[in-house]
Amino acid sequence: MRSPRRPVAVLIALLTVVALAPALASTPAVAAPTAWAPEAATYGMAITNDVPITMPDGRILRASVHVPTELATGQPANGPFPVILSETPYGKTFVDPIPAYLVERGYIGVGVDVAGTGGSQGQSQLFGTQESEDSVDVINWVAALPHSNGKVGMVGISYLAIDQLFAAAEVGPNSPLKAIFPVAASVDPLRDLFSVGGIVNMESSLGLIAGYFGDRTLTPWLERASDPADALRLMMEHALAGIPFELTTGLDALLQTGRVYDGPYWQERAPQNVLSKIVANDVAMYLVGGQYDVFQRGEPLIYSELQNIAAGLPQYAPMTPGQPVTSKYQLLFGPWDHGDEGAGIDLNALQLQWFDHWLKGEDTGILDTTTPLHVIQPDNTRYEAQDYPLETTSPQRYYLNSGGKLGTAKPNLLGGADPLLFTGTSNVCTRSTQQWSAGLIPAKICGASEPPALPAPVQLTYTSPALPNGMKLAGPVGVRLNASATSTDTMFSVTVEDVAPNGTAVSLSSGAQLGSMRAIDPSRSWTAPNGGYLLPYHPLTQASALPVKPLVNTVYNIEIRPIFATLAPGHKLRIMIGTGDLPHLLPPPMKLLDLAGLYLVQHNSLAMSWID
């Protein structure tokens, strides 16, 4: 847990089309101070739908081309203009991914249905290699459009953001692609979205399967409305091609097989494995992420890994104070969920400032910053930083103690242990429920404050004294539980809360761990100065599984997704420990008998538990 060096705190549905609608407001953009200001709309816009793009193997992808038009005549303007591209699996007409704001200020916009979706032929791969190779052909095609200046940028949220990362890695040096602006992207879809500590993310995963299947199957009717026979053919083709993925994914989750483990399937689809190519290809990236986004874990890691690669440092290590940083890779991280990233700022103007620099060669001031990490906290205060984790903070350890206490003093020999009964259940209307609905459930319904804790032994709570100077949390948080159990496997869910003087609790973040998946890869983990892990990395492979020995104290290092928040003076820090997080996490059905039992969370000098 990152806390201040000084005593004063200065410091998916679900990827579905509903979550794809960017939340764009009209307040000033977050950017470095500059005299640059967004220009007024200079052009109108005309759209040509259903434009074919023929791939080298003969498959046809279909595009919608948005061109600037003269305001006086309505005719296409001569340009030349840069091109903004967005590739979508959700139907380029159903949810238009091209910002009209950019087209009206001198950009050609092109939305393309990825293979096997919408009006495009082929088989959907969900970020497979063929999809990346298609992106290269599409980028070259759009760069050669009439009135193009030959330079290309990419935009989009969620799936459309992740596609940008793979495209930027695949294009090679000297490509027309110069800059991307991904909103809500993943560094590692298995750990960011589909699994938490080896436990299947039921809420978002099932939503992804249902939403992705539905969009892929139904959108051909809209995208190919001019040719009903082809639309019907594509609907059947897309539906049948996807059935093996949906069925096997569901069976894997139920049977704890296949894709519940890390392996070739997930490694092919993890952008972390291609970030070095993005740097080598000299493609600039401005990333936007959210504290309550489904990709909350991965967005800061994309930033730190790009910065490390650019500086010639180990990709997966934490950034170090004073290391070189470049404004070519920036992250704006705010208190947003999946679908409302950028709420309260003008993302349109920020995108314009980014692309005007990279695609038009204008001095917009977007690179005039030595702090490329821009943080907006849940209380809407903001600060600028260089490193992740922040160099202005250092780890501070809080120990679990008897009586539900959480403090900086180590427990004594008589500290004891607290019983926790496995139920696999939890409160069901929490910030976790809201977050993993990908923003479909409003925070005012679930998430504005947390319900009271369930009684022990169903749930355990540990609360600090009131913090007279408050506390700033800025980065990864690690929880170490030392526990024994009567069972042959365990399941822990941990939530970190900010508790106000009136008792109102607000969830800051959470994490979970399946006991048999507790193995650590030290080469990928971030350690605390006094031992333990700030960011434990679990291999999550079938080969890494470790049995839980009944009645033997076992250490579980649990990754809590990063927190950027300041607890006000007088507030308390609380962690809640349970054995479920419904409807977010699905206890492995075939392991229920292994999980069932009584756990003992230890907090004594011989077996300490803590939060870093």
Side-chain angles (χ1 to χ4, degrees):
M1 179 174 60
R2 310 293 295 187
S3 58
R5 285 179 178 153
R6 297 180 296 277
V8 179
V10 292
L11 307 174
I12 11 164
L14 291 52
L15 285 179
T16 62
V17 292
V18 177
L20 290 175
L24 301 177
S26 58
T27 53
V30 175
T34 176
W36 180 89
E39 63 192 81
T42 308
Y43 301 96
M45 182 174 70
I47 304 175
T48 303
N49 290 315
D50 214 26
V51 179
I53 308 174
T54 303
M55 297 291 101
D57 61 2
R59 288 172 300 121
I60 293 177
L61 308 186
R62 296 199 173 267
S64 59
V65 180
H66 307 58
V67 299
T69 59
E70 299 291 351
L71 292 175
T73 65
Q75 295 301 307
N78 288 327
F81 303 113
V83 182
I84 297 297
L85 169 66
S86 192
E87 299 178 302
T88 177
Y90 299 109
K92 63 189 179 303
T93 303
F94 187 32
V95 178
D96 190 345
I98 299 301
Y101 183 97
L102 295 180
V103 178
E104 292 166 352
R105 286 157 180 81
Y107 288 85
I108 298 169
V110 181
V112 177
D113 294 325
V114 299
T117 73
S120 292
Q121 298 173 356
Q123 183 170 346
S124 169
Q125 289 198 330
L126 198 70
F127 313 121
T129 302
Q130 183 63 61
E131 197 162 298
S132 301
E133 295 172 355
D134 287 350
S135 294
V136 177
D137 294 316
V138 170
I139 288 166
N140 291 331
W141 184 87
V142 302
L145 284 171
H147 309 297
S148 165
N149 73 355
K151 295 182 179 181
V152 179
M154 296 184 74
V155 298
I157 182 173
S158 191
Y159 192 113
L160 293 70
I162 298 170
D163 257 359
Q164 294 176 55
L165 304 186
F166 285 113
E170 189 69 23
V171 291
N174 304 313
S175 164
L177 183 64
K178 305 301 179 185
I180 60 178
F181 199 102
V183 177
S186 170
V187 77
D188 178 353
L190 171 63
R191 291 166 178 80
D192 289 353
L193 178 66
F194 286 93
S195 174
V196 181
I199 309 165
V200 172
N201 175 352
M202 176 173 64
E203 188 177 0
S204 291
S205 296
L206 293 181
L208 167 64
I209 292 171
Y212 189 62
F213 177 81
D215 288 331
R216 189 183 64 238
T217 302
L218 299 177
T219 51
W221 190 254
L222 174 65
E223 302 298 335
R224 294 290 289 148
S226 60
D227 189 340
D230 189 48
L232 184 60
R233 180 187 63 80
L234 285 175
M235 290 174 69
M236 296 297 295
E237 183 179 284
H238 294 176
L240 293 174
I243 287 176
F245 169 77
E246 275 86 24
L247 285 179
T248 56
T249 300
L251 288 174
D252 286 343
L254 291 173
L255 302 178
Q256 198 74 11
T257 57
R259 280 193 288 263
V260 299
Y261 299 108
D262 204 351
Y265 178 87
W266 291 114
Q267 289 301 306
E268 181 183 344
R269 289 159 175 80
Q272 65 189 2
N273 293 328
V274 300
L275 293 182
S276 61
K277 293 183 178 180
I278 296 177
V279 176
N281 293 339
D282 201 29
V283 178
M285 181 190 306
Y286 199 112
L287 174 66
V288 178
Q291 173 83 31
Y292 305 109
D293 183 26
V294 294
F295 299 130
Q296 168 192 357
R297 172 190 179 273
E299 290 151 348
L301 290 175
I302 294 174
Y303 171 80
S304 67
E305 292 179 23
L306 285 171
Q307 293 290 354
N308 282 343
I309 294 166
L313 299 170
Q315 175 178 344
Y316 300 116
M319 295 178 70
T320 57
Q323 79 170 64
V325 296
T326 172
S327 55
K328 181 178 287 186
Y329 309 114
Q330 300 190 38
L331 168 62
L332 170 61
F333 197 80
W336 306 309
D337 60 39
H338 197 73
D340 80 340
E341 280 91 348
I345 67 168
D346 193 340
L347 273 191
N348 277 324
L350 189 58
Q351 288 177 335
L352 181 68
Q353 189 176 9
W354 184 247
F355 289 124
D356 274 3
H357 172 87
W358 292 107
L359 306 185
K360 292 186 177 182
E362 298 181 7
D363 182 8
T364 66
I366 192 73
L367 298 189
D368 297 342
T369 178
T370 58
T371 53
L373 174 56
H374 318 289
V375 177
I376 303 175
Q377 299 185 112
D379 61 3
N380 288 318
T381 59
R382 61 162 295 167
Y383 58 86
E384 307 293 313
Q386 288 186 332
D387 305 327
Y388 177 72
L390 269 61
E391 61 180 306
T392 54
T393 63
S394 61
Q396 183 170 329
R397 179 164 294 169
Y398 279 76
Y399 295 91
L400 277 61
N401 264 293
S402 57
K405 296 178 181 179
L406 188 67
T408 56
K410 292 183 179 180
N412 59 34
L413 184 62
L414 302 178
D418 292 325
L420 178 65
L421 182 66
F422 174 78
T423 63
T425 63
S426 68
N427 285 310
V428 295
C429 189
T430 65
R431 187 75 207 216
S432 175
T433 304
Q434 190 275 334
Q435 176 171 356
W436 297 102
S437 76
L440 296 181
I441 299 175
K444 64 182 179 182
I445 294 178
C446 288
S449 61
E450 294 297 282
L454 297 174
V458 176
Q459 195 169 52
L460 304 177
T461 63
Y462 300 88
T463 308
S464 76
L467 303 166
N469 298 312
M471 174 186 291
K472 184 173 185 177
L473 305 176
V477 175
V479 168
R480 165 182 152 136
L481 294 183
N482 203 320
S484 60
T486 62
S487 56
T488 57
D489 206 345
T490 55
M491 176 175 166
F492 294 99
S493 175
V494 179
T495 301
V496 180
E497 295 182 340
D498 173 1
V499 184
N502 65 2
T504 300
V506 174
S507 172
L508 298 173
S509 191
S510 60
Q513 187 63 51
L514 186 65
S516 53
M517 290 286 102
R518 68 188 182 279
I520 294 285
D521 179 352
S523 69
R524 294 285 298 274
S525 300
W526 296 4
T527 57
N530 52 355
Y533 294 100
L534 281 176
L535 182 61
Y537 184 88
H538 303 281
L540 300 185
T541 61
Q542 194 163 10
S544 72
L546 297 172
V548 172
K549 296 180 180 180
L551 306 179
V552 174
N553 282 347
T554 303
V555 172
Y556 303 94
N557 292 286
I558 301 174
E559 178 185 359
I560 305 298
R561 289 177 295 276
I563 301 171
F564 290 88
T566 297
L567 278 64
H571 284 224
K572 300 176 182 179
L573 181 71
R574 173 185 292 169
I575 68 169
M576 300 176 62
I577 304 171
T579 61
D581 185 11
L582 295 177
H584 171 208
L585 298 179
L586 174 69
M590 303 302 290
K591 294 178 71 69
L592 287 176
L593 292 179
D594 297 332
L595 294 166
L598 185 67
Y599 309 163
L600 287 176
V601 176
Q602 307 288 329
H603 44 71
N604 56 76
S605 59
L606 297 180
M608 293 184 287
S609 300
W610 64 65
I611 177 172
D612 275 324

